[in-house]
Amino acid sequence: ETAVFQTPNYHVTQVGNEVSFNCKQTLGHDTMYWYKQDSKKLLKIMFSYNNKQLIVNETVPRRFSPQSSDKAHLNLRIKSVEPEDSAVYLCASTNWGNQDTQYFGPGTRLLVL
Amino acid sequence: GDSVTQTEGLVTVTEGLPVKLNCTYQTTYLTIAFFWYVQYLNEAPQVLLKSSTDNKRTEHQGFHATLHKSSSSFHLQKSSAQLSDSALYYCALSDHDYAQGLTFGLGTRVSVFP
């Protein structure tokens, strides 16, 4: 099966803790993204990663950092979570340069208490 | 920067009747691709339609949309709504700056009633 996989599905933590989310794609794509979907369902880009080049959206707080071991994996670490980080984090992948369709994973729902 | 506007937050429709979701955009780029994504409850957004050709109708799963660059629009329509169409629909665009990913509208929730 080829798709975008994310773990965990759901995570509850307390303010100040560190969390990590995993994303893996088996579609053979060369580009991966992280999006944040907030409580109002607004979807916004956080990071893009292509050919070892990371592009960060300027609105993303520094406590967020992506980590990649290869083009099929892009993880997300949050160093010290804040209440406003509660959201669904969606990973997506595509092929760079062709405005191809982005394929999304099911998301990781984060709740910060 | 780019922006996508979906004017309706919620659309309710009776099963079997037509439904239309509005999408307009602003961009300074000439090379753009447009998408409609659908997200069912607790699932991943999945692509419903894609287009980058002006004035060409695109169809999939009973839905259709036509990109009109003259009016900066990419409205989604279906002639007969089904109960299974109840979901959250996003209009999105991708310009030549692939690093910026997709720019999404706020989404339109569609509720189909019997």
Side-chain angles (χ1 to χ4, degrees):
Chain A
E1 182 187 6
T2 56
V4 182
F5 302 94
Q6 291 186 241
T7 57
N9 295 326
Y10 190 72
H11 189 80
V12 182
T13 190
Q14 294 186 329
V15 171
N17 285 350
E18 177 176 317
V19 298
S20 286
F21 305 146
N22 300 315
C23 180
K24 169 187 173 182
Q25 57 95 2
T26 57
L27 296 164
H29 291 157
D30 59 13
T31 303
M32 296 182 72
Y33 301 90
W34 278 103
Y35 290 84
K36 179 180 180 181
Q37 186 176 39
D38 65 19
S39 59
K40 296 182 179 180
K41 303 299 184 182
L42 178 62
L43 266 168
K44 293 206 76 172
I45 183 80
M46 298 180 73
F47 304 99
S48 66
Y49 192 83
N50 167 267
N51 194 25
K52 300 183 180 180
Q53 181 183 18
L54 174 68
I55 306 296
V56 181
N57 185 289
E58 64 271 10
T59 64
V60 175
R62 292 193 174 192
R63 60 182 179 277
F64 288 83
S65 60
Q67 299 166 322
S68 179
S69 56
D70 54 57
K71 67 177 184 178
H73 296 82
L74 184 65
N75 301 328
L76 180 65
R77 184 181 77 155
I78 312 174
K79 202 181 258 188
S80 176
V81 296
E82 301 281 342
E84 60 264 30
D85 299 337
S86 294
V88 177
Y89 293 88
L90 290 160
C91 178
S93 72
T94 190
N95 281 321
W96 188 269
N98 294 323
Q99 294 174 327
D100 276 352
T101 299
Q102 290 190 22
Y103 294 89
F104 285 82
T108 294
R109 184 177 299 275
L110 173 66
L111 179 60
V112 181
L113 301 175
Chain B
D2 301 329
S3 67
V4 176
T5 300
Q6 294 180 247
T7 51
E8 307 92 5
L10 172 66
V11 169
T12 58
V13 59
T14 302
E15 186 181 17
L17 293 184
V19 61
K20 180 180 179 181
L21 308 185
N22 292 312
C23 174
T24 57
Y25 65 90
Q26 285 188 315
T27 180
T28 55
Y29 299 107
L30 294 176
T31 306
I32 46 177
F34 281 88
F35 304 84
W36 276 99
Y37 278 83
V38 57
Q39 186 177 27
Y40 300 103
L41 190 61
N42 296 324
E43 294 187 12
Q46 54 186 280
V47 64
L48 182 60
L49 291 174
K50 174 190 175 183
S51 179
S52 56
T53 305
D54 197 11
N55 297 316
K56 180 180 178 182
R57 177 174 165 135
T58 302
E59 297 190 42
H60 185 61
Q61 296 182 344
F63 289 90
H64 64 91
T66 303
L67 176 61
H68 291 296
K69 293 186 179 180
S70 60
S71 58
S72 300
S73 68
F74 190 55
H75 306 318
L76 180 68
Q77 300 183 66
K78 189 174 186 182
S79 59
S80 176
Q82 305 300 309
L83 294 175
S84 57
D85 295 330
S86 294
L88 182 59
Y89 292 79
Y90 289 102
C91 184
L93 76 78
S94 171
D95 63 31
H96 80 291
D97 186 359
Y98 314 114
Q100 297 305 315
L102 292 167
T103 298
F104 286 92
L106 295 180
T108 298
R109 184 166 298 283
V110 173
S111 291
V112 182
F113 294 94

